[in-house]
Amino acid sequence: MQKTLYLFASGRLRRKDNTICVESEEGTKYFPVTSLRDIVVFGEVDLNKKLLEFMQENEVVLHFFGHYGNYVGSFYPREHYNSGYVILRQAEHYLDPGRRLNLARKFVEGALANILQVLRYYQNRGKDLAPYIEPIACLAGDRLSLCGNIEELMAIEGNARAYYYDSFNIILEGAPFVIKGRSKRPPADPLNALISFGNSLIYTKVLTEIYKTHLDPRIGYLHATNFRRFTLNLDVAEIFKPIFADRVLFTLVGKKMIGSGDFKRHGAAVLLKESGRRLYVKELEDKLQTTFYHRRLKRNVSYQTLIRLELYKLEKHLIGEETYEPFVSRW
Amino acid sequence: MYVILVYDVNVARVGKVLKIARKYLNWVQNSVLEGELTEATFRALKADMERIIDPEEDSLLFYVLGNQKYAKRELMGIKKGGEEWIF
């Protein structure tokens, strides 16, 4: 199983002896390229083109995060799986309003179904979540199937998420943090900081997996394709955010692994400190490497692989082999 | 599969062996590396090694474990290297 390297150290990231080497104050460390999938850089590293060339050869994606934990961008190496056919099918599905809406709806459907699954889990553990589950289930049902355009879809998703984020206070009863609605740019409280950080990691995770398929990350369906950035990963990430990012958040906060000492205030923003980010990343990686029995494939797969499988399903849908149905967690 | 590599080679080639090994495995301590490999990368590692070692003088040992779960590692003294993906 290929690994993700999370780089918090500052120093020099370089190609040395045909592998990856980090030279920092804490010493020099080598990382085997053959078992590397991507690198997520948080530290202030220096790197050169030689490294980028090497990354391209080895098909390793680099993701950069800024000083405040904001997503800066990715080094998306030259595509190695080229398929004009798939790109055309992707564009075709984008341009046809009916087909685009259909796909966008599937993403929202998947996202809401997984949100409900997470809420039901906590309901079974004695939390009073019925006042949240009902409206979300209502939105996920008729409202979703009736809506006729992308804007309506986005609105439904937004409403559902508003209920969902409110429910965090019930799920995390007794935790030192409370959430007063979702706030981004900047996140106003620790829980919002965790949500934002988690979501941006999931986006990069999905992007890395897209790199390993024929899909073009620039053509998204729910999130409008525009001139500047990747959007397909945002679409697919919608499905996985509740089951990966939010569950990691509940573990960290619920088990009191993360405390107010792991956050810092910066003006109106609440940001994760390095210690907090390390905790999060560790927990997320553990989650992604957990395997479970996949009913259809009849074998164990990890959550990381699950992301790729989702993309394959999407590819199949685009080339007209099989209708896409989003992954819905059963547990 | 989980592979532990232990090597004892002529000084003329220790550097070369180490450099190749680091492409595939994590350095643990002098002459010992370990890591998770696939069948294919393991074969690539062996092919790379075959090209540089002298079969008359050098010795490489690969301990191949199907799964790391069945192995237990105990450490005494200082930790020199190891598998870390958060750095």
Side-chain angles (χ1 to χ4, degrees):
Chain A
M1 166 106 154
Q2 288 193 308
K3 301 282 183 6
T4 299
L5 166 60
Y6 292 91
L7 214 54
F8 288 95
S10 293
R12 183 154 197 89
L13 178 62
R14 57 184 294 212
R15 167 188 187 164
K16 197 175 176 192
D17 303 334
N18 275 325
T19 191
I20 293 159
C21 168
V22 183
E23 289 170 356
S24 75
E25 283 174 6
E26 290 134 72
T28 307
K29 207 161 164 28
Y30 292 86
F31 296 94
V33 261
T34 51
S35 49
L36 195 64
R37 184 193 308 108
D38 51 358
I39 306 181
V40 181
V41 184
F42 293 102
E44 300 303 323
V45 297
D46 292 337
L47 47 88
N48 54 17
K49 192 185 104 227
K50 223 163 31 184
L51 177 89
L52 297 181
E53 275 174 30
F54 187 56
M55 296 291 89
Q56 188 269 317
E57 268 170 44
N58 288 284
E59 293 152 16
V60 176
V61 185
L62 264 69
H63 302 290
F64 297 98
F65 282 82
H67 180 248
Y68 302 107
N70 50 313
Y71 175 63
V72 170
S74 300
F75 171 65
Y76 194 77
R78 195 184 75 200
E79 295 272 2
H80 55 116
Y81 288 130
N82 291 313
S83 167
Y85 181 72
V86 171
I87 293 177
L88 283 176
R89 292 289 89 79
Q90 241 185 298
E92 186 181 59
H93 280 76
Y94 180 82
L95 293 171
D96 178 341
R99 288 193 202 169
R100 179 178 168 199
L101 183 67
N102 174 40
L103 267 178
R105 198 196 326 259
K106 295 281 184 204
F107 292 127
V108 178
E109 221 176 87
L112 297 190
N114 283 323
I115 283 176
L116 286 169
Q117 203 53 266
V118 169
L119 292 179
R120 283 197 199 105
Y121 172 90
Y122 285 99
Q123 194 181 34
N124 290 338
R125 266 151 192 77
K127 307 275 182 190
D128 179 28
L129 292 167
Y132 300 99
I133 292 178
E134 274 163 32
I136 297 178
C138 171
L139 287 166
D142 292 346
R143 290 285 306 281
L144 196 60
S145 45
L146 286 176
C147 79
N149 60 50
I150 304 276
E151 286 68 36
E152 270 179 60
L153 264 182
M154 299 272 253
I156 289 175
E157 202 217 341
N159 291 342
R161 277 193 190 273
Y163 285 114
Y164 177 50
Y165 289 126
D166 276 342
S167 74
F168 278 31
N169 289 327
I170 310 275
I171 295 174
L172 296 173
E173 250 172 346
F177 308 124
V178 273
I179 184 168
K180 289 188 285 299
R182 181 84 174 102
S183 55
K184 320 171 203 178
R185 282 166 293 213
D189 53 66
L191 289 182
N192 268 303
L194 281 171
I195 296 170
S196 292
F197 185 67
N199 288 350
S200 39
L201 284 178
I202 303 292
Y203 295 145
T204 65
K205 279 278 165 199
V206 178
L207 183 59
T208 303
E209 293 301 326
I210 291 178
Y211 181 64
K212 295 183 184 297
T213 68
H214 300 94
L215 296 164
D216 189 317
R218 287 164 296 197
I219 306 177
Y221 299 93
L222 177 62
H223 297 83
T225 292
N226 55 29
F227 300 101
R228 58 201 167 90
R229 65 164 174 180
F230 303 132
T231 48
L232 185 62
N233 60 331
L234 308 182
D235 285 5
V236 177
E238 289 296 332
I239 296 167
F240 296 114
K241 269 150 53 171
I243 48 177
F244 298 162
D246 301 339
R247 280 187 167 158
V248 167
L249 182 152
F250 294 143
T251 310
L252 287 174
V253 180
K255 290 188 178 168
K256 301 195 167 54
M257 295 159 80
I258 206 162
S260 24
D262 295 307
F263 297 90
K264 61 179 177 226
R265 184 164 276 286
H266 190 273
V270 175
L271 302 169
L272 268 167
K273 279 190 196 165
E274 188 185 312
S275 60
R277 283 184 206 158
R278 277 178 187 262
L279 277 170
Y280 194 99
V281 154
K282 170 82 177 42
E283 204 56 33
L284 180 68
E285 271 314 301
D286 284 352
K287 168 123 246 155
L288 290 169
Q289 286 181 26
T290 319
T291 54
F292 65 92
Y293 185 75
H294 193 290
R295 290 168 192 232
R296 197 163 161 203
L297 298 180
K298 296 195 172 59
R299 66 177 169 93
N300 284 326
V301 297
S302 65
Y303 282 109
Q304 178 82 42
T305 312
L306 187 67
I307 304 179
R308 179 103 56 92
L309 295 176
E310 198 65 16
L311 296 168
Y312 289 154
K313 271 154 65 183
L314 190 59
E315 251 187 61
K316 284 206 165 224
H317 177 92
L318 294 171
I319 60 179
E321 270 185 23
E322 218 168 274
T323 314
Y324 174 70
E325 286 301 331
F327 172 81
V328 179
S329 173
R330 287 166 185 268
W331 53 91
Chain B
M1 63 179 86
Y2 200 76
V3 177
I4 303 171
L5 163 62
V6 184
Y7 61 88
D8 184 350
V9 298
N10 188 305
V11 271
R13 287 177 294 275
V14 271
K16 286 184 183 175
V17 169
L18 175 63
K19 281 178 186 182
I20 289 181
R22 270 198 301 235
K23 276 164 66 179
Y24 299 89
L25 301 164
N26 293 293
W27 184 83
V28 182
Q29 55 174 243
N30 292 342
S31 311
V32 182
L33 295 101
E34 57 181 49
E36 184 78 36
L37 295 181
T38 61
E39 295 273 349
T41 44
F42 184 40
R43 233 175 287 142
L45 166 61
K46 285 190 286 190
D48 271 4
M49 288 295 187
E50 252 165 21
R51 269 196 289 278
I52 58 150
I53 61 162
D54 176 353
E56 305 287 304
E57 274 187 43
D58 303 336
S59 163
L60 297 183
L61 277 180
F62 296 98
Y63 293 90
V64 184
L65 281 66
N67 193 322
Q68 210 185 339
K69 275 181 195 147
Y70 301 109
K72 191 173 148 221
R73 178 167 59 187
E74 283 185 26
L75 172 75
M76 196 185 270
I78 56 161
K79 183 171 178 281
K80 289 192 153 187
E83 191 186 19
E84 264 166 32
W85 293 97
I86 302 175
F87 181 60

